[in-house]
Amino acid sequence: MRWPAPLRRPATLATVGVTVITCFTSWDNFLSGLGQVVPVVILRPSIRYASLSGYLELALSLGLDPGALMRSIDLDPADLAIPDKWVPATRVARLLELSARASGHEDFGLRLAEYRQPSTLGPLSLVLRDEPDLRSALGLLMRYEHSYNEAIRIRLSEVNGLATVRLWLELGEPVPSRQGEELAVAALYGIIRDFLGPTWRPLSVCFSHGAPADVDTHARLLGDRLHFGHDFTGLVMYARDLDARNAAAQQDGRAQATQALRSLAARGGADTSHRVRELVEVLLPTGRCSADEVARAMGLDRRTLHRHLSRADETFTTIVDSTRAGLAERYLANDRYSMTEISELLGFAAPSAFTRWFRHRFGDSPSQWRARRSGLPAPRPAPPPRPQSGTV
């Protein structure tokens, strides 16, 4: 039987820089098992050019040609002068990986973090500086991820007096992200030290990827409590640090901060969507991830939950699907997880069900995705120079 070619209808989400491609096919109808059309939402997250603050200086200091590297992946060096402009996050990730390879410095992302300023976060920086404690600041970083980096995910958990901040990147494509993740960890480390003081050190700095040949830069910027090949990427600290007061907070800055938060909230989704995503992440591995279960955990009935999500242009089904997609990227990036373990963590009854869903969602099998992610295409060669007038 021949299936008809997909019909694509582009749309735009509330968050800036995200493009949605919705596919409708008879294959979708077959997968749904209900004779209904199932939309496949493919997100292409974006990031502000401010994330590359200092890139030109660092690249030049390492003997690179930053302009040529940027143009090789369709980035315009002149756009670095527009920090609030959004660019596909996959291009930034590729640029960092190419730069690390070309310079021979596996610590390129960490070195770039030394150039970052609080303003890199955009309007959110105005709010963070006046938050009363670190817990509130991390809550804002998680709630308003879309305002500074649509690809980043940050999660905070507390167990037995310890607080763990995990982070990862959801790029929507099998792109190497080691440099981007190390840049994000170093930036988060800097934000926490701004609150807790320059002498603060975490109990552990964890990376899911392997150790570089030289860890001197890691030790200099992040301390010597480094763990590579870990289950997650992030920081571990004492939970009591979360409630340490921010001595630099200014009460007269709260009005300005409130206005900034309103503008960020207008661009992002509702708090309900964020809470639902958190619960879905927790419930997926248990096999009990349902709208009824999530609604019960939030103290709502199912109908009220759907009404709140509808106001944010969301549905429970799309949130589960997008959460699964992000977690699948995260687990596939870590070779410690087998396909069977990943399928269980995502709430699938069998690895074959996970593979069918993943291929439908991403167009690749999970093993193909993992293999492609480990590679990095060579930069496109620069065009030859034009001959001077009068030359042959």
Side-chain angles (χ1 to χ4, degrees), residues 148-292:
Y148 58 94
N149 185 343
E150 292 172 345
I152 198 168
R153 298 294 177 266
I154 303 173
R155 296 294 180 266
L156 171 65
S157 60
E158 296 177 62
V159 177
N160 296 328
L162 297 180
T164 301
V165 185
R166 294 174 171 83
L167 65 81
W168 66 95
L169 300 177
E170 295 179 3
L171 297 168
E173 297 179 27
V175 178
S177 58
R178 175 181 184 133
Q179 300 301 321
E181 289 172 0
E182 292 200 349
L183 171 60
V185 168
L188 178 63
Y189 183 94
I191 290 172
I192 294 176
R193 290 190 73 181
D194 286 342
F195 272 81
L196 302 181
T199 61
W200 176 82
R201 291 289 186 275
L203 296 175
S204 180
V205 180
C206 306
F207 295 101
S208 59
H209 52 255
D214 185 345
V215 298
D216 286 351
T217 302
H218 292 74
R220 177 170 60 84
L221 296 181
L222 304 173
D224 57 1
R225 300 169 182 175
L226 301 167
H227 296 274
F228 293 91
H230 205 272
D231 287 339
F232 64 87
T233 294
L235 306 174
V236 180
M237 68 187 81
Y238 289 116
R240 64 172 183 254
D241 291 341
L242 298 173
D243 298 311
R245 306 302 297 175
N246 177 15
Q250 299 179 9
Q251 293 301 318
D252 57 0
R254 297 302 294 169
Q256 184 180 10
T258 300
Q259 183 59 39
L261 278 178
R262 287 173 180 167
S263 67
L264 293 175
R267 290 177 54 195
D271 285 346
T272 299
S273 298
H274 181 79
R275 179 60 177 148
V276 169
R277 282 187 173 83
E278 289 181 332
L279 289 169
V280 167
E281 287 182 15
V282 172
L283 292 172
L284 276 175
T286 70
R288 296 186 295 108
C289 184
S290 66
D292 288 329

Side-chain angles (χ1 to χ4, degrees), residues 17-58:
V18 179
T19 301
V20 178
I21 300 176
T22 307
C23 302
F24 302 97
T25 71
S26 296
W27 181 245
D28 295 335
N29 296 345
F30 173 78
L31 288 177
S32 70
L34 299 174
Q36 299 177 349
V37 174
V38 176
V40 179
V41 181
I42 304 174
L43 299 183
R44 294 292 181 260
S46 295
I47 188 172
R48 296 169 67 249
Y49 259 104
S51 64
L52 290 174
S53 178
Y55 174 77
L56 290 179
E57 297 94 322
L58 176 60

